[in-house]
């Protein structure tokens, strides 16, 4: 069943120590109020569910967030109407020191150090279900998921596209008492607005044009299991109130129906949009946000956990190749040097393409021995086009292969002169540098490649 109430679940105090701080209101209608920052995180706003709730109409419902790290205190404005000012400076996101005064609306609170320390929970494991990574950021995520897996608490997963929000949802379901029940994923952003209510709650025959028979919605399909609402931030406002009612009453009514049907599901919601900001902008209901955010986790982008790339690459290589062999060191080094704007999903797709095209060892050999010429183009189009991949992935693989061939050829033509290569390519030098970094290449190495060709 659903958990009762909207209070947040606090994780058991086990992990790394962080400085203990309190937020003390020194000016404004709530002057004298104070709150200790627990678990290294606090939200400030006029909403009653905020950790520091301010009775100030000039303060946004979700105004700003405070996050405490072992060596720093970070503050982030949540798209507030009047801004967040630290010592008179308007701050979108940055670090503050203990003793700093923060103005939000007509209120001011001070960040004060207090005796003792708080604890950020850290898991001892280097994986949780399908989630892989031993970085500190991921072990913080595991600690929360391990704590709530046996419960029925609603979970909100935030993070950039490709960080693995769907993987976290599946892993939580697999580690819960509902593992034997269904796991039903729904992409809220992919369903037309006029159909999403029927998709969620089902409909009865004749409810609308085309409803030729009764149909169950995903709430009923997930009965006894987990319902994963992906991209919840895309859900239309008109449906959000009905979703909130279903969460509160633990029952649904099919479109066109007259009877309530009880449902027993656990909700995991995910979004790449910060729902706190959406709530301030009026595109997401604040009460629904707090109903979903009983427990929150934010999956870190791959750029903030570079040390996990070798482990992730090995994991995906074993999955797609079926081999227990180790990846070449030069290939792994190239992966670590690259930027991954698409995060783990981009890395996974890259490994899959490399395995499918058989380019891992060829790339590694070329990286170990720059004087060796690159492999020649395939003799047939069928061997060059990855027809085993879906169109979207095949297009991306083709584009990346073309970029690599083009850049190599241009640098050989200019003898490794990056500025001249950029001019001939019709791009600026900075763009060419970023492209080389993304492809894991160095101009000096590429320039040496084909002088050996005869």
């Amino acid at each position: 069943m659903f958990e009762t109430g909207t209070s947040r679940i606090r994780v058991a105090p086990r992990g790394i120590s962080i400085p203990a701080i309190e937020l003390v209101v020194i000016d404004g209608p709530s002057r004298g109020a104070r709150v200790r920052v627990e678990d290294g995180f606090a939200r400030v706003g006029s909403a009653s569910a905020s950790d520091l709730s301010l009775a100030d109409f000039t303060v946004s419902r979700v105004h700003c967030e405070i996050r405490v790290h072992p060596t720093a205190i970070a503050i982030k404005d949540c798209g507030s109407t009047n801004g967040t000012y630290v010592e008179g400076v308007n701050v979108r996101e940055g670090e503050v020191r203990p003793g700093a005064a923060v103005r939000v609306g007509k209120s001011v609170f001070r960040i004060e150090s207090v005796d003792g320390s708080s604890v950020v929970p850290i898991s001892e494991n280097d994986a949780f279900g399908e989630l892989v990574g031993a970085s500190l950021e991921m072990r913080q995520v595991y600690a929360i998921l391990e704590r709530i897996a046996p419960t029925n608490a609603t979970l909100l997963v935030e993070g950039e596209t490709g960080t693995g929000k769907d993987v976290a949802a599946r892993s939580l379901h697999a580690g819960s008492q509902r593992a034997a029940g269904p796991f039903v994923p729904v992409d809220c952003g992919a369903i037309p607005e006029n159909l999403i209510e029927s998709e969620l709650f089902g409909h009865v025959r004749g409810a609308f044009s085309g409803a030729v028979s009764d149909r169950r919605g995903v709430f009923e399909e997930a009965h006894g299991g987990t319902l994963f609402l992906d991209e919840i931030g895309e859900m239309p406002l008109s449906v959000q109130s009905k979703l909130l009612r279903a969460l509160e009453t633990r029952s649904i009514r099919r479109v066109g129906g007259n009877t309530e049907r009880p449902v027993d599901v656990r909700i995991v919601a995910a979004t790449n949009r910060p729902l706190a900001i959406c709530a301030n902008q009026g595109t997401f209901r604040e009460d629904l946000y707090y109903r979903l955010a009983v427990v929150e986790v934010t999956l870190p982008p791959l750029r903030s956990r570079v040390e996990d790339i070798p482990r992730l690459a090995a994991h995906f290589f074993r999955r797609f190749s079926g081999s227990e062999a180790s990846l070449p060191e030069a290939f792994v080094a190239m992966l670590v040097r690259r930027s991954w704007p698409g995060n783990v999903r981009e890395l996974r797709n890259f490994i899959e393409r490399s395995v499918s095209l058989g380019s891992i060892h060829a790339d590694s050999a070329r990286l170990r021995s720059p004087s060796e010429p690159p492999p020649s183009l395939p003799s047939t189009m069928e061997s060059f086009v990855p027809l085993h991949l879906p169109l979207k992935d095949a297009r991306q693989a083709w584009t990346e292969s073309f970029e690599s061939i083009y850049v190599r050829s241009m640098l050989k033509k200019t003898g490794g002169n990056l500025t001249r290569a950029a001019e001939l390519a019709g791009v600026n030098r900075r763009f060419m540098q970023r492209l080389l970094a993304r492809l894991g290449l160095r101009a000096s190495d590429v320039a040496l490649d084909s002088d050996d060709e005869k």
Side-chain angles (χ1 to χ4, degrees):
M1 302 296 286
F2 293 94
E3 75 289 342
T4 59
T6 59
S7 59
R8 300 188 181 189
I9 292 179
R10 296 296 186 184
V11 180
R14 180 186 61 190
I16 60 174
S17 295
I18 58 174
I21 66 169
E22 285 187 345
L23 309 180
V24 182
V25 183
I26 58 177
D27 195 13
S30 299
R31 183 175 181 176
R34 64 172 58 221
V35 63
R36 186 183 177 104
V37 176
E38 300 289 348
D39 299 339
F41 178 80
R43 187 168 284 130
V44 179
S46 58
S48 59
S50 299
D51 296 288
L52 178 60
S53 181
L54 301 172
D56 184 346
F57 71 92
T58 63
V59 172
S60 296
R61 303 292 291 172
V62 186
H63 201 103
C64 65
E65 297 175 347
I66 306 292
R67 196 174 297 273
V68 185
H69 302 286
T71 59
I73 303 172
I75 187 168
K76 178 181 179 181
D77 183 83
C78 295
S80 64
T81 301
N82 296 320
T84 299
Y85 293 81
V86 179
E87 305 292 352
V89 178
N90 191 358
V91 175
R92 298 287 296 274
E93 187 171 359
E95 295 185 357
V96 295
R97 56 177 177 78
V102 181
R103 178 165 65 84
V104 290
K106 295 182 178 179
S107 298
V108 180
F109 66 88
R110 186 167 56 237
I111 300 173
E112 294 187 351
S113 296
V114 294
D115 293 336
S117 62
S118 296
V119 174
V120 174
I122 301 295
S123 173
E124 298 177 356
N125 300 312
D126 57 8
F128 178 83
E130 299 176 46
L131 291 172
V132 176
S135 62
L136 186 63
E137 292 85 352
M138 289 304 295
R139 288 166 59 204
Q140 291 181 36
V141 172
Y142 302 157
I144 297 174
L145 298 181
E146 290 166 357
R147 173 67 172 169
I148 68 169
T151 74
N152 288 314
T154 299
L155 174 67
L156 175 63
V157 186
E158 294 186 327
E160 296 179 7
T161 298
T163 50
K165 297 183 290 292
D166 56 335
V167 177
R170 288 198 306 270
S171 299
L172 184 69
H173 172 73
S176 73
Q177 297 176 352
R178 296 173 175 266
F183 175 79
V184 181
V186 180
D187 187 345
C188 299
I191 306 172
E193 184 173 351
N194 62 329
L195 295 179
I196 191 168
E197 185 178 352
S198 172
E199 182 72 17
L200 291 175
F201 310 121
H203 62 254
V204 299
R205 179 181 179 183
F208 49 84
S209 178
V212 296
S213 62
D214 291 356
R215 180 183 181 277
R216 294 193 308 167
V218 293
F219 267 88
E220 290 182 81
E221 291 179 1
H223 186 78
T226 301
L227 177 59
F228 176 47
L229 300 175
D230 197 11
E231 300 303 340
I232 189 71
E234 305 291 338
M235 180 174 287
L237 275 169
S238 59
V239 182
Q240 291 178 22
S241 59
K242 297 175 182 178
L243 174 60
L244 177 62
R245 184 178 184 279
L247 296 178
E248 294 288 358
T249 64
R250 292 172 282 175
S251 63
I252 57 97
R253 177 182 294 182
R254 291 181 178 178
V255 177
N258 297 317
T259 59
E260 295 283 339
R261 299 170 182 266
V263 288
D264 173 20
V265 298
R266 179 186 197 160
I267 299 294
V268 178
T271 177
N272 61 5
R273 295 184 177 186
L275 291 191
I277 295 178
C278 293
N280 283 336
Q281 295 172 341
T283 60
F284 200 85
R285 289 179 62 110
E286 178 194 327
D287 48 4
L288 177 57
Y289 165 57
Y290 281 111
R291 192 64 183 81
L292 293 171
V294 175
V295 179
E296 292 179 83
V297 296
T298 300
L299 295 183
L302 193 54
R303 62 181 175 274
S304 70
R305 56 184 189 113
V306 175
E307 64 269 35
D308 284 337
I309 290 178
R311 184 184 296 264
L312 285 164
H315 170 74
F316 293 134
F317 177 68
R318 288 193 297 269
R319 176 195 295 183
F320 297 125
S321 70
S323 171
E324 294 297 323
S326 299
L327 284 168
E329 292 183 6
F331 183 80
V332 174
M334 179 267 290
L335 296 178
V336 172
R337 287 197 305 268
R338 288 185 56 161
S339 61
W340 300 99
N343 295 299
V344 179
R345 179 184 293 131
E346 183 184 0
L347 174 62
R348 181 197 65 194
N349 290 346
F350 181 84
I351 297 297
E352 183 177 9
R353 289 195 302 272
S354 297
V355 170
S356 301
L357 299 174
S359 62
I360 290 178
H361 291 284
D363 288 344
S364 301
R366 188 162 57 252
L367 288 168
R368 285 195 303 268
S369 180
S371 61
E372 181 180 338
S376 59
L377 290 174
S379 57
T380 63
M381 185 62 69
E382 288 75 11
S383 61
F384 189 51
V385 179
L387 297 177
H388 62 287
L389 296 177
L391 175 61
K392 180 179 179 181
D393 292 339
R395 182 187 295 118
Q396 186 173 351
W398 174 282
T399 300
E400 188 163 299
S401 297
F402 164 77
E403 288 177 343
S404 178
I405 294 170
Y406 182 88
V407 169
R408 288 177 182 278
S409 299
M410 193 61 72
L411 286 171
K412 292 169 190 172
K413 183 177 181 180
T414 62
N417 188 319
L418 188 61
T419 301
R420 180 58 179 157
E423 290 176 354
L424 293 176
V427 299
N428 59 46
R429 177 183 172 87
R430 186 170 180 80
F431 179 89
M432 185 66 78
Q433 288 174 325
R434 289 198 299 266
L435 182 58
L436 282 170
R438 183 164 60 80
L439 295 173
L441 302 174
R442 290 186 299 179
S444 58
D445 288 349
V446 174
L448 295 173
D449 278 349
S450 68
D451 287 343
D452 301 299
E453 295 181 32
K454 304 298 182 184

